[in-house]
Amino acid sequence: MSANPLSTALYSLRQAAELAVVDPKVVELLSVPKRTMEFTFPVRMDNGEVKIFTAYRVHWCDALGGFKDGTRFTENLTLDECKALALWMTIKHGVGGIPAGGGKGGVIVDPGKLSEWELERLSRNYMRHLPMKGAWVDVPGADIGTSEKTQGWMLDEYESIVGFHSPAAINDKPTAVSGTLGTDEATGLGVYYVFEQAVKDFGLKNGCSVVVQGFGKVGSVLARYLSENGYKVIATGDIYGAIQSEDGIDCLELDRYVSNTGSVVDFPGTKAISNQEMLEMEVDVLIPAAVQSVITVENASRIKAKLVIEAANGPVTPDAEEILQDKDIPVIPDVAANVGGAIVCHFERIQGLTDEYWDLERVREQLQNWITRAYTKMVSTAREKDISMRMAAWVNALQKIEASVKKRGWV
Ligand code: NAD
């Protein structure tokens, strides 16, 4: 997303609404959050002093289901950021076929400056003071600055408030407290499933070449699956630099190497290149999986890949996408490619509600079914309406939301 993520999201909303011929009243309803919450709560610090923290939670639209999604503990958190992400999640849930509304929130805090005890008290007090919560109301998950540990504390706090077990009330919690298997790999594996299907749809060969920018939580999982399944990862990189090998990099070995060294740099048998060179390589599929805005008007004309898949959020800027379109390079958008994490979060809630816990095979199989279905629907809308896949994903989501809004009689 750009410098002002809320206006970017609202711009896409209006564009897609026009293409999907959505009732203007539905667009009006979707252009504002259902509710925004700003609240403060006290936390006793280790030195005995009480500090007051500011928190937010935004509920965008719950036409498709109860609110769901991440909690950020970051120093620079703003209400506008939470609004943009809540709208984004409303659409993402629609794209993924997930019966949930978009929520986002968090606390203005640098968790790195807290002791373990302070972090626990902060997580518990956030949950205690959060005005609306529960499995059928709003299910907060993890995001930047939060983790399975904070989610475990939040669940425990929630259950002690209501007085009974309620594992579906919090997402991204440890498996020991009724979390789901497969959370760590969900987004990267989801991108891999989309990639597999796209290889067939866009006439690429089994075992084709791939560049993966970013070797973090998403990129490393994706790269491992690519290597394991016979695709040739000819370059990858992180913030410290990039590496290349024409014969393909063994990403399982690279993953072990990165666990020891902290970076892909100097991985034996590879040549050092810059991140920019990596993006501009001759390759079948380019998958940016690091940060936003890495393909811009500045370098888009030099991209030589046959297909781009956005594993990161917003790696291709809107102007750059137009240039890629003119060069006939399709872009599979983030909102469909990286929805795997949100899908598995939904599985976590299903398991909590039924108290029946799935094995990893079932999580993977269901993830593949769900994400491939969403991807296929997007491709067919794009072809049918002759629009970009990004717009097609938004169109599909908006039509779903509009149908629910109308049947509920909201407009
Ligand atoms: P991460 O922090 O684990 O990994 C990011 C990787 O990118 C690291 O290898 C890092 O060194 C590299 N990197 C950072 N800045 C870079 C730069 N300027 N140039 C080149 N490489 C750079 O993050 P992640 O969780 O893997 O997320 C990656 C992207 O995917 C982000 O855009 C994130 O918003 C998006 N995403 C993540 C998830 C998830 O479940 N983790 C879900 C949806 C979307």
Side-chain angles (χ1 to χ4, degrees):
M1 284 193 213
S2 78
N4 187 338
L6 183 57
S7 4
T8 309
L10 287 171
Y11 178 71
S12 301
L13 169 70
R14 282 190 288 270
Q15 257 189 322
E18 219 176 286
L19 287 167
V21 204
V22 174
D23 181 334
K25 274 289 153 207
V26 177
V27 181
E28 197 182 327
L29 183 84
L30 271 174
S31 300
V32 286
K34 178 160 183 168
R35 64 178 71 85
T36 60
M37 290 165 268
E38 177 173 346
F39 55 102
T40 55
F41 61 89
V43 176
R44 189 168 297 280
M45 309 307 279
D46 290 347
N47 63 6
E49 204 185 292
V50 170
K51 251 181 135 165
I52 311 296
F53 289 87
T54 299
Y56 306 114
R57 187 78 184 163
V58 175
H59 290 169
W60 200 272
C61 174
D62 58 349
L64 297 181
F67 296 101
K68 185 166 84 66
D69 209 51
T71 310
R72 293 193 164 178
F73 285 179
T74 56
E75 218 173 356
N76 308 316
L77 188 74
T78 65
L79 185 58
D80 257 9
E81 174 187 346
C82 296
K83 284 183 186 172
L85 292 163
L87 164 56
W88 175 249
M89 285 317 299
T90 302
I91 300 300
K92 206 164 182 174
H93 288 146
V95 172
I98 303 163
K104 204 78 173 193
V107 182
I108 301 177
V109 61
D110 176 355
K113 291 194 180 136
L114 301 181
S115 72
E116 180 90 348
W117 287 112
E118 288 169 342
L119 183 63
E120 177 173 346
R121 288 194 290 274
L122 181 97
S123 306
R124 288 182 180 278
N125 288 7
Y126 173 70
M127 195 28 58
R128 180 160 288 279
H129 293 265
L130 182 68
M132 299 179 74
K133 53 205 168 223
W136 293 102
V137 182
D138 181 3
V139 182
D143 201 306
I144 303 171
T146 46
S147 62
E148 45 162 64
K149 191 153 62 178
T150 58
Q151 301 313 102
W153 290 325
M154 285 187 205
L155 179 73
D156 186 62
E157 191 65 23
Y158 178 77
E159 290 181 339
S160 52
I161 295 166
V162 295
F164 49 81
H165 276 286
S166 184
I170 295 286
N171 267 334
D172 297 310
K173 54 201 182 290
T175 47
V177 287
S178 315
T180 183
L181 294 169
T183 305
D184 289 350
E185 66 172 19
T187 305
L189 179 56
V191 178
Y192 176 73
Y193 288 141
V194 167
F195 165 90
E196 257 191 338
Q197 193 57 42
V199 163
K200 293 181 203 148
D201 289 349
F202 290 91
L204 298 168
K205 285 197 214 85
N206 245 343
C208 63
S209 60
V210 193
V211 165
V212 179
Q213 186 200 31
F215 206 80
K217 286 190 282 293
V218 177
S220 66
V221 170
L222 166 67
R224 273 197 283 114
Y225 275 99
L226 288 166
S227 267
E228 233 169 28
N229 288 283
Y231 291 95
K232 215 198 266 185
V233 180
I234 58 169
T236 187
D238 56 30
I239 196 159
Y240 307 107
I243 54 170
Q244 175 199 3
S245 162
E246 305 222 325
D247 301 331
I249 300 164
D250 177 347
C251 294
L252 284 87
E253 203 46 58
L254 177 62
D255 197 33
R256 281 189 279 274
Y257 176 83
V258 172
S259 308
N260 292 327
T261 64
S263 168
V264 302
V265 171
D266 290 336
F267 181 58
T270 60
K271 197 175 112 193
I273 52 169
S274 71
N275 255 288
Q276 243 354 286
E277 286 171 308
M278 174 177 65
L279 294 172
E280 296 169 17
M281 281 173 74
E282 290 273 0
V283 67
D284 291 314
V285 188
L286 169 61
I287 311 186
V291 284
Q292 64 184 38
S293 307
V294 293
I295 302 176
T296 63
V297 280
E298 206 280 306
N299 61 358
S301 58
R302 296 193 297 276
I303 300 295
K304 299 178 200 74
K306 298 187 180 108
L307 173 69
V308 173
I309 303 180
E310 292 188 321
N313 283 329
V316 180
T317 63
D319 304 354
E321 189 165 351
E322 282 175 23
I323 299 174
L324 296 181
Q325 247 165 18
D326 290 343
K327 284 164 58 94
D328 277 334
I329 303 174
V331 177
I332 298 181
D334 44 12
V335 74
N338 69 25
V339 71
I343 291 174
V344 172
C345 263
H346 175 56
F347 296 165
E348 182 174 356
R349 181 168 167 276
I350 294 177
Q351 293 169 69
L353 287 172
T354 55
D355 233 0
E356 183 203 334
Y357 297 92
W358 304 358
D359 60 26
L360 192 53
E361 287 320 301
R362 182 164 174 200
V363 174
R364 287 176 174 161
E365 191 191 308
Q366 288 300 316
L367 170 59
Q368 182 167 21
N369 290 345
W370 278 61
I371 202 161
T372 309
R373 193 164 54 224
Y375 160 84
T376 306
K377 192 159 187 275
M378 171 187 73
V379 171
S380 86
T381 303
R383 290 185 177 159
E384 194 185 299
K385 293 188 180 293
D386 194 23
I387 54 177
S388 71
M389 286 186 274
R390 187 181 313 280
M391 274 302 107
W394 276 74
V395 164
N396 288 345
L398 287 185
Q399 285 176 337
K400 241 177 158 258
I401 295 169
E402 181 180 39
S404 173
V405 164
K406 293 239 156 148
K407 291 287 176 201
R408 287 168 191 275
W410 286 355
V411 301

